[in-house]
Amino acid sequence: MSNEADTCRKYVLPKLVEAGWDNEPHRINEQITFTDGRIVLAGNKVRRRPQKRADYLLRYTRDYLIAVVEAKPDYLTSGDGLQQAKDYAEILGLKFAYATNGKEIIEFDYLTGLERQIGSFPTPDELWQRLQAAQTITSEAAQRLLSPYYHHSGKSPRYYQEIAINRAVQSILQGKKRVLLTMATGTGKTVVAFQICWKLWSARWNVAGEHRRPKILYLADRNILVDDPKDKIFAPFGDARWKIENGGANKSRETYFAIYQSLAKDENRPGLYKEYKPDFFDLIIVDECHRGSARDDSNWREILNYFTPAFQVGMTATPLREDNRDTYLYFGNPIYQYSLRQGIDDGFLAPYRVHRVITDYDAAGWRPSKGDLDRYGREIPDDEYQTKDFERVVALKARTEVIARHLSDFLSKSDRFAKTIVFCVDQEHADEMRRSLGNLNKDMVSRYPDYVCRVTSIEGDIGRGHLGRFQELETETPVILTTSQMLTTGVDAPTCKNIVLARVIGTMSEFKQIIGRGTRVRDDYGKLWFSILDYTGSATRLFADPDFDGDPALVSEEKIDESGVTYETTVTEEAPVVEDGGIQDEYGPTGVVIDDGERERRKYYYDGGQVEIAAHLVYELDPDGRQLRVVKYRDYAADKVRTLFPGAIRMREQWANPKERAEVIRQLEERGINFNELADSVGQPEADPFDLLCHLAFNAPLRTRRERAERLRLERKDFFDQFGPEAKTILEELLEKYAQHGTAQFVVPDILKVPPISERGNVIEIAGYFGGAEKLREAVNELQTLLYAGF
């Protein structure tokens, strides 16, 4: 009887080689993992779930994946592996899935919907011809579709990037003029755009069918969104690159970069884009296309319409919603989508915790007293001001300061060098927040003058410098950046660990962009998750949106009244806030902000008042995985225990067995439950974990570890008396270790190396007191079983 590894080695691989899959340019990828495994948080501990691993991936060329093969041991049927093969094929976007036990092979063909048993694997050319015929790929298009990727230092695109690249290139080669790709922030849209351009550029594809490389335009709405790709990822294009700016229309290059503002018409010029013929460009990449490029009334739409002969590829991070419907009407439905939820499930994106923090002013509103004047001597209109009004209609200095104090305390308790972005209402608010944070962290600022920096359009190149250092992996400072609009998109900060919302986020599109500042994963720098500190209720409201597709790992809420009493509140949904006519945080064509006069003050500034904060609640998704409900951490843990066990008796049976207990602990950790944190949250640090869970879930009596240990000593003396003096003493010392520290003390042989047990000899000598290692292990296991028996 062969196992799966034997099946692969003896039967499957020889048959694949016989079919020609080992001959260039074809490839067999054996035992390939194509996800990183979801990151799971349990307290402050982080673990990854298993990666998805395929037995064999078959490639027609190095860069074109065409089929998956799942192998099973010969004592199982081929059909036992077919569902897994189909699951992997669907994830990987493949049309052919195979399952085999080494003797028989089953094929599932997604092109025809047929499942059949076959005698041997198809050859590479046979599969390619079937795919080519079904998808009407011409020979000329096929040759260009199979042109290789550019491999950055041997780093290949991830599976979902391969799907996006190949589908986009195939769509273009088959004449689809407008193409849309929807990929979550942090999943590498720029890499995908580069590879699309590289394949078509290398294959000398162009609209006219001439023997030349294509003219490509990479369009975005901010300088940072074109400068970064041009200088980094698109560097292999070398001298073919050119940025259109400063009114100059260079026509001698092949890969152009521009922001819409540089090309668009305004009151001073007719539009630089008209310097180029409508058919000058063959391909236009529109990055962050949801940000207005497709709106009918937009200058940007005018540019895209002017270049109608060109093929246009739109890239966005936001699925279809009311606020980006025109984008989908213009480009059509996406040919591929990779969501935030998928990215987190695959382990390519970081999960997050959400801390909902409410000030008194946000909880109950703020109303000025009669005759209150702002700092400029103006009387503040009598009204009930809410969160959406703060820093827009009225600026409350005390609220900004208490948010800054809470954030500073949060960093002090976690990591004062954890890179943090604070999203404020406007540039002025960002400056107030910077000043408050700097003063509250003066010890750090005295050592690191750039510990807190504001990055808005006003700072120009200085702000860009701060941002560049913030993005660097090796630099410690700046640690905190305050901003309003500028950093919502296009900023790759892989080690950013905290996203702070000090302003109301109006749309899901913007929310996802902001969340994307923290979703990058860097295992090598300890960045596996991040925190969202929500001071305005935006995260809570938008997580509750049925269209949100990335579940939070944990959501907590903090609130305190003036007397410091903790209490729960129901979070109500606020209407989205539309950006007012304030200063926009976007670099223009030159990155310079021009102000030709003193701007009339558009809000009131109140410097008085006192504000308080704090408390903690946990939000969890309801059973359908959509709406958030408010529960305490203890209630959350209790609910999870009840989903795993029908009652305390069944839980005791598993808990008493050391091996089964390890599985219970693993399942609870996967659901974000950490015993130490749970015990602290309910004020029972001495409780046995089993008793604590049963107490919370089934209202069982709550006992301490000491009570369990003493009961065992008194009621089961016969257990201890069956051993010799040395062995009996060691078991009693083990029991005392448990009473002090918990069940972790029963790990053998580790605990035998810790005083006072280690003073009785080495591991072999201690095992000898019990009659050998196996007898020792049996005694320790029986001790644990008795500890939980019937009590």
Side-chain angles (χ1 to χ4, degrees):
M1 185 181 295
S2 300
N3 58 28
E4 189 173 307
D6 292 334
T7 301
C8 290
R9 185 178 67 256
K10 293 178 182 178
Y11 305 110
V12 183
L13 188 58
K15 288 185 177 182
L16 289 171
V17 171
E18 184 182 349
W21 286 99
D22 201 34
N23 301 330
E24 285 291 339
H26 318 302
R27 295 281 177 95
I28 303 171
N29 293 151
E30 189 173 0
Q31 295 298 315
I32 291 295
T33 57
F34 55 89
T35 70
D36 282 354
R38 184 184 178 115
I39 298 166
V40 178
L41 301 177
N44 290 319
K45 294 181 180 179
V46 181
R47 59 185 294 273
R48 282 189 182 269
R49 286 181 179 167
Q51 301 166 304
K52 287 186 171 65
R53 179 189 295 268
D55 290 327
Y56 294 98
L57 295 179
L58 305 183
R59 294 183 174 274
Y60 186 68
T61 65
R62 179 181 66 170
D63 299 327
Y64 200 93
L65 183 61
I66 197 169
V68 60
V69 179
E70 182 62 28
K72 290 296 175 186
D74 61 4
Y75 58 83
L76 296 176
T77 67
S78 295
D80 290 329
L82 183 62
Q83 189 55 55
Q84 187 172 343
K86 289 172 69 176
D87 288 347
Y88 286 173
E90 289 162 21
I91 292 170
L92 297 169
L94 304 176
K95 300 303 182 187
F96 305 105
Y98 297 90
T100 179
N101 62 359
K103 297 174 181 176
E104 58 183 26
I105 304 169
I106 294 179
E107 175 191 78
F108 187 83
D109 183 343
Y110 281 88
L111 298 171
T112 62
L114 291 177
E115 177 183 327
R116 61 188 180 126
Q117 188 168 324
I118 55 179
S120 59
F121 288 105
T123 66
D125 285 337
E126 180 187 340
L127 272 197
W128 177 248
Q129 286 164 12
R130 285 161 63 183
L131 184 68
Q132 201 175 342
Q135 298 186 344
T136 60
I137 304 171
T138 65
S139 298
E140 183 182 2
Q143 186 177 355
R144 286 175 168 149
L145 179 61
L146 296 174
S147 61
Y149 299 143
Y150 181 90
H151 289 269
H152 293 268
S153 305
K155 186 176 180 181
S156 298
R158 292 169 173 166
Y159 83 85
Y160 62 86
Q161 293 172 335
E162 278 199 58
I163 298 172
I165 294 162
N166 289 330
R167 285 191 186 175
V169 171
Q170 182 173 328
S171 295
I172 291 167
L173 293 173
Q174 292 182 314
K176 186 173 173 61
K177 298 287 286 188
R178 294 175 186 169
V179 171
L180 181 64
L181 293 170
T182 302
M183 298 174 65
T185 301
T187 56
K189 291 191 298 295
T190 310
V191 170
V192 169
F194 164 76
Q195 295 289 3
I196 292 169
C197 295
W198 182 265
K199 282 173 74 79
L200 294 172
W201 188 75
S202 301
R204 294 182 177 272
W205 165 88
N206 57 75
V207 174
E210 301 168 350
H211 184 68
R212 63 171 175 83
R213 298 190 190 277
K215 301 281 189 182
I216 300 170
L217 174 62
Y218 188 100
L219 262 183
D221 70 331
R222 301 185 183 186
N223 277 308
I224 194 169
L225 294 178
V226 296
D227 291 344
D228 213 47
K230 171 183 167 289
D231 297 335
K232 295 177 182 176
I233 293 178
F234 279 76
F237 280 93
D239 291 338
R241 294 167 297 161
W242 184 263
K243 184 180 180 184
I244 303 172
E245 58 185 344
N246 301 323
N250 187 307
K251 299 176 184 177
S252 62
R253 306 301 174 93
E254 293 164 345
T255 308
Y256 296 81
F257 298 82
I259 61 173
Y260 294 103
Q261 296 91 322
S262 297
L263 298 177
K265 67 179 181 181
D266 57 30
E267 61 274 11
N268 299 320
R269 58 189 181 188
L272 185 60
Y273 69 91
K274 292 183 179 177
E275 295 291 319
Y276 297 90
K277 293 181 179 179
D279 62 354
F280 181 82
F281 295 108
D282 299 288
L283 175 66
I284 299 177
I285 303 289
V286 187
D287 192 22
E288 306 292 359
C289 63
H290 65 278
R291 291 175 54 82
S293 60
R295 290 181 190 157
D296 287 324
D297 58 351
S298 168
N299 275 336
W300 306 349
R301 177 68 171 268
E302 187 176 318
I303 295 171
L304 294 180
N305 284 338
Y306 179 81
F307 292 118
T308 293
F311 283 71
Q312 298 175 8
V313 177
M315 309 197 76
T316 180
T318 55
L320 173 63
R321 293 178 54 83
E322 281 304 318
D323 56 14
N324 65 1
R325 184 169 295 277
D326 351 344
T327 298
Y328 283 74
L329 288 173
Y330 182 81
F331 285 102
N333 289 324
I335 58 170
Y336 183 64
Q337 298 186 71
Y338 188 74
S339 69
L340 179 62
R341 186 193 300 273
Q342 287 173 285
I344 292 174
D345 282 345
D346 286 343
F348 296 128
L349 296 181
Y352 41 87
R353 284 185 169 152
V354 182
H355 298 261
R356 173 69 175 103
V357 185
I358 307 176
T359 74
D360 286 345
Y361 287 176
D362 292 273
W366 178 81
R367 186 172 188 171
S369 300
K370 184 173 177 60
D372 272 348
L373 304 179
D374 79 349
R375 72 174 66 146
Y376 298 106
R378 298 174 300 173
E379 185 172 353
I380 303 172
D382 183 29
D383 202 351
E384 284 282 353
Y385 297 99
Q386 305 294 331
T387 302
K388 61 185 175 59
D389 304 313
F390 298 150
E391 305 305 324
R392 295 180 184 280
V393 180
V394 58
L396 301 173
K397 186 176 181 181
R399 178 176 176 271
T400 297
E401 288 179 346
V402 80
I403 289 173
R405 186 177 303 112
H406 182 274
L407 175 57
S408 298
D409 290 343
F410 178 86
L411 292 174
S412 295
K413 292 173 185 175
S414 52
D415 178 5
R416 296 189 79 183
F417 284 98
K419 292 188 175 179
T420 301
I421 301 177
V422 186
F423 290 94
C424 303
V425 172
D426 55 24
Q427 298 189 22
E428 194 173 35
H429 186 212
D431 192 47
E432 289 278 356
M433 188 66 73
R434 177 200 59 77
R435 185 175 300 107
S436 293
L437 287 166
N439 290 338
L440 288 164
N441 294 276
K442 58 186 178 184
D443 59 324
M444 300 297 287
V445 174
S446 65
R447 294 164 55 198
Y448 307 98
D450 62 345
Y451 182 77
V452 187
C453 297
R454 183 179 74 160
V455 176
T456 63
S457 58
I458 287 178
E459 279 80 18
D461 289 338
I462 295 174
R464 284 197 190 92
H466 292 323
L467 176 58
R469 291 190 300 278
F470 182 85
Q471 292 175 282
E472 287 294 327
L473 295 169
E474 302 293 342
T475 59
E476 282 190 316
T477 59
V479 172
I480 305 172
L481 297 185
T482 66
T483 186
S484 60
Q485 293 287 332
M486 201 187 81
L487 304 185
T488 57
T489 186
V491 176
D492 186 5
T495 56
C496 180
K497 291 187 176 180
N498 299 305
I499 300 297
V500 180
L501 304 180
R503 69 174 170 88
V504 175
I505 309 302
T507 67
M508 180 66 78
S509 299
E510 185 182 19
F511 178 61
K512 286 194 171 182
Q513 292 291 334
I514 287 174
I515 296 304
R517 300 314 107 215
T519 52
R520 272 72 170 181
V521 172
R522 285 303 299 252
D523 295 70
D524 48 345
Y525 285 85
K527 164 65 189 306
L528 291 163
W529 59 283
F530 68 104
S531 294
I532 301 169
L533 284 83
D534 178 15
Y535 295 94
T536 65
S538 297
T540 309
R541 172 172 55 82
L542 291 163
F543 282 143
D545 190 305
D547 290 334
F548 183 76
D549 67 346
D551 311 340
L554 184 70
V555 186
S556 67
E557 180 167 298
E558 296 190 9
K559 185 174 182 181
I560 284 189
D561 63 14
E562 289 186 2
S563 61
V565 176
T566 299
Y567 60 97
E568 297 184 18
T569 61
T570 302
V571 180
T572 56
E573 183 169 331
E574 297 179 22
V577 176
V578 180
E579 294 292 334
D580 61 19
I583 307 167
Q584 288 302 305
D585 232 356
E586 300 173 1
Y587 286 128
T590 61
V592 176
V593 174
I594 300 172
D595 189 354
D596 17 38
E598 184 176 343
R599 184 177 285 105
E600 182 182 350
R601 294 190 179 97
R602 58 189 178 87
K603 57 187 174 182
Y604 295 92
Y605 302 83
Y606 184 65
D607 296 339
Q610 290 185 336
V611 195
E612 299 291 336
I613 289 186
H616 219 123
L617 295 176
V618 175
Y619 286 75
E620 145 180 75
L621 290 168
D622 64 13
D624 67 4
R626 292 290 184 182
Q627 302 297 325
L628 289 168
R629 54 190 172 129
V630 185
V631 292
K632 290 181 179 178
Y633 187 29
R634 60 183 293 163
D635 297 334
Y636 171 85
D639 191 46
K640 291 304 177 187
V641 171
R642 286 192 292 266
T643 63
L644 292 172
F645 304 101
I649 295 174
R650 177 65 187 125
M651 184 176 176
R652 179 184 289 113
E653 290 172 356
Q654 283 193 245
W655 192 268
N657 183 306
K659 290 183 180 179
E660 292 188 32
R661 185 192 312 138
E663 175 61 18
V664 172
I665 292 171
R666 185 194 67 78
Q667 290 180 330
L668 292 172
E669 285 184 343
E670 279 199 355
R671 288 156 177 80
I673 298 171
N674 176 276
F675 292 131
N676 292 334
E677 290 193 2
L678 182 59
D680 289 342
S681 72
V682 298
Q684 297 290 344
E686 301 300 319
D688 180 274
F690 167 76
D691 288 310
L692 180 59
L693 293 172
C694 284
H695 175 69
L696 296 177
F698 309 113
N699 202 28
L702 183 60
R703 297 181 176 88
T704 65
R705 297 188 299 273
R706 176 69 61 189
E707 287 175 326
R708 278 200 172 274
E710 290 302 323
R711 171 193 161 275
L712 183 58
R713 284 193 184 101
L714 291 173
E715 297 186 8
R716 293 305 306 264
K717 289 182 179 179
D718 59 316
F719 168 72
F720 294 97
D721 290 343
Q722 65 181 304
F723 298 98
E726 289 289 348
K728 180 179 178 180
T729 302
I730 289 168
L731 289 173
E732 288 175 342
E733 288 172 346
L734 269 176
L735 193 59
E736 179 60 26
K737 284 283 186 184
Y738 155 76
Q740 293 179 15
H741 304 291
T743 52
Q745 305 309 310
F746 290 127
V747 177
V748 177
D750 298 0
I751 190 59
L752 306 181
K753 302 172 185 177
V754 177
I757 301 174
S758 61
E759 296 169 3
R760 306 192 178 279
N762 59 36
V763 173
I764 296 174
E765 290 170 335
I766 291 172
Y769 298 136
F770 291 84
E774 191 57 39
K775 294 286 187 182
L776 166 64
R777 199 173 300 279
E778 288 176 5
V780 174
N781 286 347
E782 187 178 356
L783 176 67
Q784 296 179 72
T785 301
L786 292 173
L787 191 61
Y788 294 103
F791 177 69

